[in-house]
């Protein structure tokens, strides 16, 4: 036996004498480490995937302005649009017009969303109301909000009433349809719970039916708000003296395409922020729905 083998045997004997067992080297499984690393990098990878296409468009836009593929009067350079956006923000015009547009959306969505919610509840609960209202409602829903502008102009003019009604109509349809669908899809077993507990109709509605239909209702709210925002910009382009749509029209009339593109960017960012916020809430509601099922 060599000296190295004698030393190793003495070391193992000392370990065994000390605690009665031999501590062998512990091998670390690399799989959990890799999984933790992947989960930590997943948000960054998703962000890169989401930003890849916009960054590619920005690079193409910058390259086009540098090489002069299109005249600057038609496609301003990105830095010119950024300077115009900063100027509009510093002067307060951007915040004023954005605030006007958001206020119109809130008012129109409150009117249309509330009406759509009540109508959807009525159609979902009452077969008689559904048979009476649903055919006409389906026919009117096929007409886009902008298709009502000529008729509403004759009735209410081109002031705030027109914008309010157009936005309300855009929000009403998705909210009513999804509320109707959500209430109709509530399982009969849940309704029977209310019968067993001797709930009156109001308690059954508020404690059983509506909570079970919340995910579908919230989907309608999300799409209703998106439709209201799109209708707002469209109606402001046609008849308005304030708002982001008017800012786009004003820039076009002055042939300042940098102002038009700046307003378009704000419209897109605000719409994205609204939809992103509601999608996060909707995802949480869907998680509750899956847990309950």
């Amino acid at each position: 036996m060599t000296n190295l083998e004698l030393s190793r045997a003495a070391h193992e004997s000392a370990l065994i004498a000390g605690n009665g067992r031999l501590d062998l080297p512990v091998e670390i499984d690399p799989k959990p480490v890799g999984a933790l690393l992947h989960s930590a990098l997943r948000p960054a990878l998703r962000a890169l995937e989401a930003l890849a296409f916009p960054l590619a468009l920005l690079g193409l836009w910058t390259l086009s302005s540098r090489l002069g593929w299109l005249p600057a009067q038609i496609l301003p350079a990105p830095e010119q649009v950024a300077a115009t956006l900063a100027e509009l923000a510093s002067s307060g015009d951007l915040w004023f017009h954005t605030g006007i547009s958001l206020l119109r959306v809130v008012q129109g969505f409150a009117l249309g969303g509330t009406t759509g919610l009540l109508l959807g509840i009525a159609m979902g609960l009452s077969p008689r109301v559904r048979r009476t209202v649903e055919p006409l409602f389906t026919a009117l829903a096929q007409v886009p909000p902008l298709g009502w502008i000529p008729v509403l102009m004759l009735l209410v003019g081109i002031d705030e009433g027109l914008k309010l009604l157009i936005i309300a109509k855009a929000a009403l349809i998705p909210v009513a349809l999804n509320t109707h669908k959500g209430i109709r899809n509530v399982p009969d077993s849940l309704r029977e719970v209310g019968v067993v507990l001797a709930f009156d109709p109001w308690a059954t509605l508020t404690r059983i039916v509506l909570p079970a239909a919340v995910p579908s209702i919230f989907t309608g709210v999300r799409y209703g708000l998106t439709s209201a925002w799109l209708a707002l910009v469209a109606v402001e382009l046609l008849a308005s003296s304030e708002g982001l749509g008017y800012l786009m029209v004003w820039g076009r009339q002055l042939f300042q395409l940098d102002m038009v593109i700046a307003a378009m960017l704000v419209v897109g960012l605000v719409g994205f922020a609204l939809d992103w916020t509601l999608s996060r809430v909707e995802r949480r509601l869907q998680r509750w729905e899956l847990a309950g099922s």
Side-chain angles (χ1 to χ4, degrees):
M1 182 176 294
T2 63
N3 294 332
L4 179 61
E5 291 175 347
L6 290 173
S7 300
R8 183 178 300 171
H11 178 66
E12 292 178 355
S13 300
L15 289 175
I16 295 174
N19 50 22
R21 60 185 180 86
L22 177 62
D23 292 334
L24 298 177
V26 179
E27 295 184 359
I28 300 177
D29 188 3
K31 293 183 179 179
V33 178
L36 290 175
L37 183 61
H38 183 267
S39 62
L41 294 177
R42 187 179 303 170
L45 293 176
R46 289 181 177 177
L48 288 177
E49 291 177 356
L51 292 175
F53 187 64
L55 290 177
L57 287 180
L58 180 60
L60 184 62
W61 181 12
T62 304
L63 184 63
S64 174
S65 64
R66 293 288 187 274
L67 299 180
W69 291 347
L70 289 174
Q73 293 81 5
I74 297 177
L75 184 63
E79 55 269 20
Q80 183 179 354
V81 175
T84 301
L85 191 60
E87 181 181 353
L88 289 172
S90 62
S91 65
D93 291 340
L94 179 63
W95 313 119
F96 171 76
H97 291 290
T98 303
I100 292 294
S101 295
L102 288 174
L103 180 61
R104 287 169 176 165
V105 166
V106 169
Q107 293 174 342
F109 180 76
L111 176 62
T114 302
T115 306
L117 181 64
L118 296 176
L119 183 60
I121 291 174
M123 290 193 299
L125 294 178
S126 174
R128 179 177 299 178
V129 173
R130 183 169 61 252
R131 290 193 300 268
T132 303
V133 176
E134 190 172 18
L136 179 61
F137 174 79
T138 303
L140 295 178
Q142 305 308 312
V143 182
L146 296 183
W148 292 90
I149 289 182
V151 176
L152 293 177
M153 278 184 175
L154 297 175
L155 297 176
V156 299
I158 61 173
D159 294 330
E160 291 300 314
L162 173 66
K163 304 172 187 60
L164 183 66
L165 292 177
I166 294 297
I167 297 169
K169 194 271 178 183
L172 185 148
I173 302 300
V175 174
L177 289 177
N178 282 273
T179 302
H180 175 207
K181 175 184 175 182
I183 292 178
R184 289 284 305 275
N185 291 338
V186 173
D188 293 335
S189 57
L190 291 180
R191 300 176 187 268
E192 293 173 358
V193 172
V195 176
V196 173
L197 297 177
F199 283 173
D200 57 26
W202 176 252
T204 302
L205 175 64
T206 57
R207 297 186 181 184
I208 296 178
V209 176
L210 287 181
V214 160
S216 181
I217 293 174
F218 201 87
T219 300
V221 170
R222 178 185 174 187
Y223 289 120
L225 184 58
T226 301
S227 299
W229 182 249
L230 295 176
L232 161 81
V233 176
V235 76
E236 285 183 345
L237 287 171
L238 295 175
S240 181
S241 59
E242 297 170 328
L244 292 173
Y246 165 76
L247 198 62
M248 296 168 63
V249 173
W250 179 247
R252 180 185 60 83
Q253 291 175 349
L254 297 177
F255 211 70
Q256 296 181 0
L257 274 300
D258 51 339
M259 182 183 298
V260 176
I261 297 176
M264 290 172 57
L265 291 175
V266 175
V267 168
L269 289 175
V270 173
F272 175 79
L274 293 175
D275 184 74
W276 184 86
T277 302
L278 291 180
S279 67
R280 299 281 83 75
V281 180
E282 181 186 4
R283 182 177 300 178
R284 184 172 296 274
L285 292 176
Q286 294 291 345
R287 188 180 304 167
W288 295 344
E289 182 184 30
L290 293 174
S293 61

